[in-house]
Amino acid sequence: VQLQASGGGLVQAGGSLRLSCEASGRTNLLYGMGWFRQAPGKEREFVAAIKWSDGSTASADSVKGRFAISRDNAKNTVYLHMNSLKPEDTAVYYCAARARNMHSIAVLTIAAGYDYWGQGTLVTVSS
């Protein structure tokens, strides 16, 4: 499975961006996908995730109400809709995919829950 992330860029505080992550290869193996981010000098942190089967989602408290994750099964693509962006949202955003079944979406909130990672896309929010 290969993941191609796109959509990053420079935006002013309060603005919006939409990130995309397209999966290719053996996408029939996927059970969930998610987004993480890593700011300079900080550890990678969970942002949002979605189960492929039923579309249930999870998101970090820091982005609740501002970010939303969605999927397009036909395109094997997951989106991260980011609104009301803040300078502290500045980071490299990574998409990831899980190829193992799961009992709870909670497993998608940790990096170890994923099997494949895409290259990052940089989001810079200016104040």
Side-chain angles (χ1 to χ4, degrees), residues 6-9 16-21 35 68 70 72 75 77-83 85 121 123:
S6 62
S16 300
L17 276 178
R18 187 185 78 167
L19 305 184
S20 301
C21 179
W35 290 93
S70 66
D72 184 331
K75 296 182 179 179
T77 298
V78 168
Y79 303 97
L80 184 66
H81 308 268
M82 305 186 294
N83 300 308
L85 282 160
T121 184
V123 172

Side-chain angles (χ1 to χ4, degrees), residues 51-72:
K51 284 182 69 176
W52 217 243
S53 58
D54 60 11
S56 55
T57 63
S59 59
D61 289 343
S62 59
V63 305
K64 274 188 171 71
R66 300 187 299 121
F67 292 11
I69 188 169
S70 66
R71 77 194 194 288
D72 184 331

Side-chain angles (χ1 to χ4, degrees), residues 23-74:
S24 60
R26 298 188 67 182
T27 57
N28 59 303
L29 299 177
L30 299 183
Y31 287 87
M33 292 182 70
W35 290 93
F36 285 71
R37 68 186 181 185
Q38 188 165 18
K42 295 188 177 182
E43 294 187 352
R44 190 172 298 192
E45 65 174 359
F46 167 73
V47 177
I50 188 165
K51 284 182 69 176
W52 217 243
S53 58
D54 60 11
S56 55
T57 63
S59 59
D61 289 343
S62 59
V63 305
K64 274 188 171 71
R66 300 187 299 121
F67 292 11
I69 188 169
S70 66
R71 77 194 194 288
D72 184 331
N73 288 32

